Amino acid sequence: MIFVFVPGFLLFFHQISAIPIPNGLLGNVEVECTDTTIEAVFLTETNFLGRVFVLGHSQDKDCVSRETGRRTTSITVPRDKCGVETVQHGKGAGYTSSVNIVISFHDKFLTKVDRAYNITCLYAPTGDVVSYALTVQPSLLKDIQVLAEQPSCEYEVFDVRTRRPAEIVHVNAPLEHVWTCDGTNLDLFCMTVHDCVINEGKSKRRSKIIDSEGCSLDTTRLPNLRYENNKLSARVMSKAFRFGDDVAVEFECNVRLDLRNGTSCPRPRC
């Protein structure tokens, strides 16, 4: 009888006979984190004939993948099943979801070339840097941490009459200010536009027009923003204005992305 120890688990089975498995892994595991799943993709030396499963859930069809007959195989694990552990790290600190995945090169037995990985997805409330970290350890269980991809945001001002981005307009021309964020995992986040300033042309003076809570400080020039339901988007109508003899007016805003807590996003109370 053979005993194999994996942290948190003790596996034991009878050795029936030596089973040659002329296969192995090539390169690193590719991991993708979404708001509903964790996916791991493996590249093997020869066509894969085994199975990939979540440790402790090999009998659950939702937690096992049998993509065989080619050199790539993968598993997509639902974040609400298969023993996926999700931990909240305090208000504003984001959360992690972790799962232990085994790639077995035999359809029924564990072999010496099999590998197990502890995969952890990091869901951060803010940031626009996507990183991938892989730690390879001599033990059977290996850790992988992936930072979920963050949306990218942009700010545009449109000439209402032409419906094109405004470049040269006359005083009192109708304008629409639009802030939007796009990308994957949009359902994870809420958006707040805050700390907007106006750069006043040649004088280089900076006047704040939206405060840190997202409320307008001068509603005659820029009313309070309207946020679209279930979208990372905000917009507001205004009239073009200028300062004295300055002909250039530049708007600058900050966009904050917070992890959604529930089905709806809180809005600024102005």
Side-chain angles (χ1 to χ4, degrees):
M1 182 173 293
I2 296 177
F3 294 86
V4 178
F5 178 72
V6 178
F9 300 88
L10 182 63
L11 309 177
F12 54 93
F13 53 89
H14 291 282
Q15 184 176 13
I16 298 177
S17 61
I19 305 174
I21 306 292
N23 207 345
L25 287 175
L26 290 177
N28 294 327
V29 182
E30 294 185 7
V31 178
E32 181 177 0
C33 304
T34 74
D35 55 335
T36 58
T37 63
I38 299 173
E39 181 180 9
V41 181
F42 304 87
L43 175 63
T44 58
E45 295 175 356
T46 61
N47 287 347
F48 184 69
L49 301 176
R51 58 179 177 153
V52 184
F53 60 91
V54 176
L55 195 61
H57 297 266
S58 60
Q59 303 304 314
D60 188 336
K61 63 181 181 62
D62 292 329
C63 311
V64 179
S65 172
R66 297 182 184 273
E67 294 182 356
T68 59
R70 56 187 184 184
R71 292 182 58 202
T72 58
T73 188
S74 66
I75 185 171
T76 300
V77 182
R79 285 185 54 235
D80 59 349
K81 297 181 180 180
C82 306
V84 175
E85 182 179 2
T86 298
V87 178
Q88 185 77 38
H89 296 287
K91 184 177 180 181
Y95 58 90
T96 59
S97 290
S98 301
V99 64
N100 296 328
I101 292 178
V102 177
I103 177 170
S104 177
F105 290 89
H106 191 277
D107 187 50
K108 296 180 180 179
F109 306 109
L110 292 178
T111 71
K112 66 179 181 179
V113 294
D114 295 346
R115 293 292 181 268
Y117 296 88
N118 174 255
I119 297 176
T120 300
C121 292
L122 311 178
Y123 295 90
T126 57
D128 53 8
V129 176
V130 179
S131 65
Y132 180 100
L134 173 64
T135 301
V136 179
Q137 298 176 341
S139 60
L140 179 63
L141 193 64
K142 301 177 181 180
D143 293 329
I144 300 176
Q145 292 188 337
V146 179
L147 181 64
E149 183 178 356
Q150 307 294 304
S152 59
C153 303
E154 65 178 5
Y155 171 31
E156 292 183 289
V157 180
F158 292 92
D159 187 326
V160 173
R161 291 171 294 192
T162 64
R163 299 308 306 166
R164 295 188 178 188
E167 295 181 358
I168 300 176
V169 296
H170 296 286
V171 172
N172 288 328
L175 303 175
E176 184 176 29
H177 301 251
V178 180
W179 297 261
T180 55
C181 297
D182 197 11
T184 60
N185 303 321
L186 296 181
D187 292 339
L188 287 174
F189 299 95
C190 294
M191 181 184 76
T192 303
V193 179
H194 65 98
D195 290 303
C196 294
V197 297
I198 302 173
N199 296 318
E200 302 177 12
K202 295 179 182 179
S203 65
K204 296 184 179 180
R205 289 190 303 171
R206 292 166 61 87
S207 301
K208 180 173 284 192
I209 196 167
I210 294 181
D211 65 16
S212 60
E213 300 299 321
C215 295
S216 175
L217 298 174
D218 187 349
T219 56
T220 60
R221 289 182 175 175
L222 194 70
N224 286 311
L225 278 55
R226 294 178 290 105
Y227 289 85
E228 296 189 43
N229 293 331
N230 301 320
K231 292 184 178 180
L232 297 185
S233 177
R235 58 185 66 233
V236 66
M237 302 291 294
S238 74
K239 296 291 184 67
F241 58 87
R242 59 186 288 183
F243 297 92
D245 294 330
D246 287 333
V247 296
V249 178
E250 181 184 31
F251 294 85
E252 180 182 303
C253 290
N254 290 279
V255 177
R256 182 176 68 247
L257 296 176
D258 297 304
L259 287 172
R260 185 188 295 262
N261 184 16
T263 58
S264 61
C265 291
R267 302 306 186 194
R269 297 181 179 180
C270 304

